[in-house]
């Protein structure tokens, strides 16, 4: 593997899930693989799980790790060509990227959607500049349109907990006070579609995802109906995708919060969320604290997904 930005960089999903099982069973088996190799993790946006789990995964592979928070201690960075840099940004990303590449063997990048331009966000401008100019293998730690390390961990978790061969999985929108990207929802739909599981996406009118991510999923605007017979409920907020409302919060309909009444409509479903989660906006206290909530093992599997991907990238270097 040369880079990892989406499921399209994977040759076989089944093979990756099998490798995840091996990594989970013996996390230190490849301690020599990353010796004398350095991972640089670059954060344009905040993180708890991605930062810690990816660092832990790299340490399990024997790598050295450097972490850079662009907004805390680094020079402010201009990302557009042609700009007269007479403002508050003294560094251009086109110099910064190759410089950063010269200090490491692999780069992880987190850079969310900016919501200034749908076209720029959906072209993954920042991530692609790292691929083009760093000269190093690059992987996404959540970009503008996808969060593939999260979704790989989600799927590992579903494989561990599923009670039927073809579980019904529901991706439900839930309210949130701030405009969030579509990245987690996009990735989740993309990977579940690729796995071939039954996927229902439920949200209020106006929150439709891009067709390329909806794929074979059923879109159901009645949340109660969507929940009927579900084996997994995956809650997430996202802002509007369609023009002219791209990146906007259309409303915060609290009736979409996942509560115990709705969970009772399911087939004793497991509750999932990528975290961080706003309690009693997205999900009630009792649901996230219930025995059917698997958000903690889901987050723990972030180490596994990151380790499988970093290992594949290391093998691509050697
Ligand atoms: N789920 C996830 O990516 O968490 P962080 O934003 O804390 O990394």
């Amino acid at each position: 593997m040369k880079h990892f930005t989406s499921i399209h960089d994977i040759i076989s999903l089944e093979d990756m899930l099998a490798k995840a099982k091996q990594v989970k069973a013996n996390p230190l088996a490849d301690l020599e693989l990353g010796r004398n190799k350095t991972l640089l993790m670059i954060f344009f946006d905040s993180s708890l799980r991605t930062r810690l789990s990816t660092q832990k995964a790299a340490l399990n592979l024997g790598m050295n790790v450097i972490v850079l928070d662009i907004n805390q201690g680094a020079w402010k960075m201009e990302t557009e060509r042609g700009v007269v840099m007479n403002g508050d940004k003294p560094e251009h990303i086109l110099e910064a990227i190759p410089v950063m590449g010269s200090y490491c063997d692999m780069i992880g990048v987190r850079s969310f959607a900016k919501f200034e331009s749908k076209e720029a966000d959906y072209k993954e401008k920042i991530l692609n500049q790292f691929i083009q100019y760093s000269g190093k293998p690059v992987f996404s730690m959540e970009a503008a349109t996808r969060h593939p390390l999260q979704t790989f961990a989600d799927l590992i978790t579903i494989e561990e907990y599923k009670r039927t061969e073809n579980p019904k999985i529901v991706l439900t929108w839930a309210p949130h006070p701030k405009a969030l990207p579509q990245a987690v929802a996009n990735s989740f739909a993309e990977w579940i579609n690729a796995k071939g599981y039954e996927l229902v996406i439920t949200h209020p009118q106006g929150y439709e995802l891009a067709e390329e991510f909806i794929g074979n999923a059923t879109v159901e605007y009645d949340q109660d109906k969507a929940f009927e017979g579900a084996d997994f409920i995956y809650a997430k907020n996202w802002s509007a995708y369609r023009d002219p409302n791209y990146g906007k919060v259309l409303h915060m309909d609290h009736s979409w919060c996942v509560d115990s009444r709705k969970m009772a409509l399911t087939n004793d479903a497991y509750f999932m969320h990528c975290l961080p989660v706003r309690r009693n906006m997205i999900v009630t206290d009792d649901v996230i604290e219930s025995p059917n909530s698997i958000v903690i093992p889901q987050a723990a599997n972030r180490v596994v997904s990151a380790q499988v991907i970093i290992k594949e990238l290391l093998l691509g270097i050697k």
Side-chain angles (χ1 to χ4, degrees):
M1 188 185 286
K2 282 179 75 175
H3 304 285
F4 177 71
T5 63
S6 79
I7 196 167
H8 304 295
D9 296 309
I10 287 173
I11 294 166
S12 161
L13 182 51
E14 296 307 322
D15 182 47
M16 297 302 274
L17 288 168
K19 284 174 175 164
K21 267 191 189 171
Q22 289 165 11
V23 162
K24 193 150 184 175
N26 194 354
L28 300 180
D30 299 300
L31 203 47
E32 287 303 312
L33 186 66
R35 189 166 299 284
N36 298 323
K37 294 274 188 287
T38 300
L39 169 64
L40 173 57
M41 296 164 59
I42 300 168
F43 289 90
F44 288 87
D45 297 284
S46 303
S47 168
L48 185 151
R49 277 143 293 272
T50 305
R51 175 186 301 252
L52 297 179
S53 62
T54 310
Q55 186 159 356
K56 174 67 177 161
L59 293 174
N60 283 351
L61 292 163
M63 298 183 83
N64 304 310
V65 182
I66 307 172
V67 181
L68 178 66
D69 286 295
I70 293 290
N71 295 321
Q72 288 174 15
W75 301 111
K76 277 193 182 178
M77 230 175 266
E78 178 57 60
T79 57
E80 299 297 322
R81 280 187 81 246
V83 171
V84 178
M85 290 171 58
N86 59 0
D88 65 342
K89 295 174 180 167
E91 173 122 38
H92 202 286
I93 198 165
L94 293 179
E95 285 80 55
I97 290 175
V99 168
M100 291 190 275
S102 74
Y103 301 149
C104 66
D105 302 283
M106 187 183 298
I107 301 180
V109 182
R110 166 163 282 201
S111 175
F112 292 169
K114 293 190 172 33
F115 294 141
E116 289 162 4
S117 150
K118 179 159 129 182
E119 195 193 358
D121 286 343
Y122 272 70
K123 276 187 177 165
E124 292 289 7
K125 206 169 165 189
I126 302 285
L127 191 61
N128 284 322
Q129 282 179 321
F130 273 92
I131 289 172
Q132 194 173 353
Y133 299 115
S134 71
K136 295 290 152 66
V138 172
F139 64 92
S140 166
M141 299 196 298
E142 185 171 349
T145 62
R146 292 177 171 93
H147 192 357
L149 285 180
Q150 176 66 54
T151 316
F152 186 17
D154 298 338
L155 196 50
I156 292 166
T157 311
I158 288 170
E159 293 305 285
E160 289 171 346
Y161 282 84
K162 72 179 184 186
R163 291 175 294 226
T164 61
E165 270 312 298
N166 186 16
K168 175 180 174 182
I169 299 173
V170 175
L171 169 61
T172 182
W173 180 94
H176 192 282
K178 289 179 64 183
L180 298 186
Q182 298 95 33
V184 170
N186 285 345
S187 268
F188 189 74
E190 192 168 44
W191 286 62
I192 298 301
N193 275 321
K195 186 73 177 96
Y197 289 155
E198 181 185 353
L199 175 64
V200 177
I201 306 174
T202 185
H203 53 74
Q205 296 270 358
Y207 284 102
E208 292 78 10
L209 298 170
E211 289 295 334
E212 63 173 304
F213 294 108
I214 295 171
N216 296 327
T218 302
V219 175
E220 172 58 66
Y221 295 106
D222 181 335
Q223 194 187 28
D224 279 5
K225 199 170 162 201
F227 273 42
E228 283 169 12
D231 297 298
F232 291 89
I233 298 296
Y234 195 104
K236 185 72 184 87
N237 173 269
W238 61 89
S239 59
Y241 167 74
R242 288 189 178 168
D243 294 327
N245 293 320
Y246 177 67
K248 289 191 181 144
V249 176
L250 303 178
H251 55 75
M252 283 190 289
D253 185 345
H254 285 268
S255 72
W256 281 75
C257 179
V258 178
D259 60 17
S260 54
R261 183 194 67 76
K262 288 173 201 164
M263 290 301 286
L265 301 171
T266 70
N267 181 27
D268 197 25
Y270 290 108
F271 176 80
M272 301 180 75
H273 188 281
C274 62
L275 305 181
V277 68
R278 290 185 184 240
R279 284 179 176 221
N280 305 307
M281 287 289 296
I282 302 276
V283 58
T284 56
D285 289 320
D286 58 336
V287 169
I288 198 165
E289 291 170 5
S290 75
N292 282 30
S293 170
I294 53 173
V295 295
I296 305 303
Q298 179 187 356
N301 277 333
R302 290 293 306 276
V303 177
V304 183
S305 66
Q307 193 166 331
V308 172
I309 296 302
I310 295 169
K311 180 179 169 183
E312 291 299 304
L313 292 170
L314 281 170
L315 291 169
I317 295 172
K318 292 201 171 226

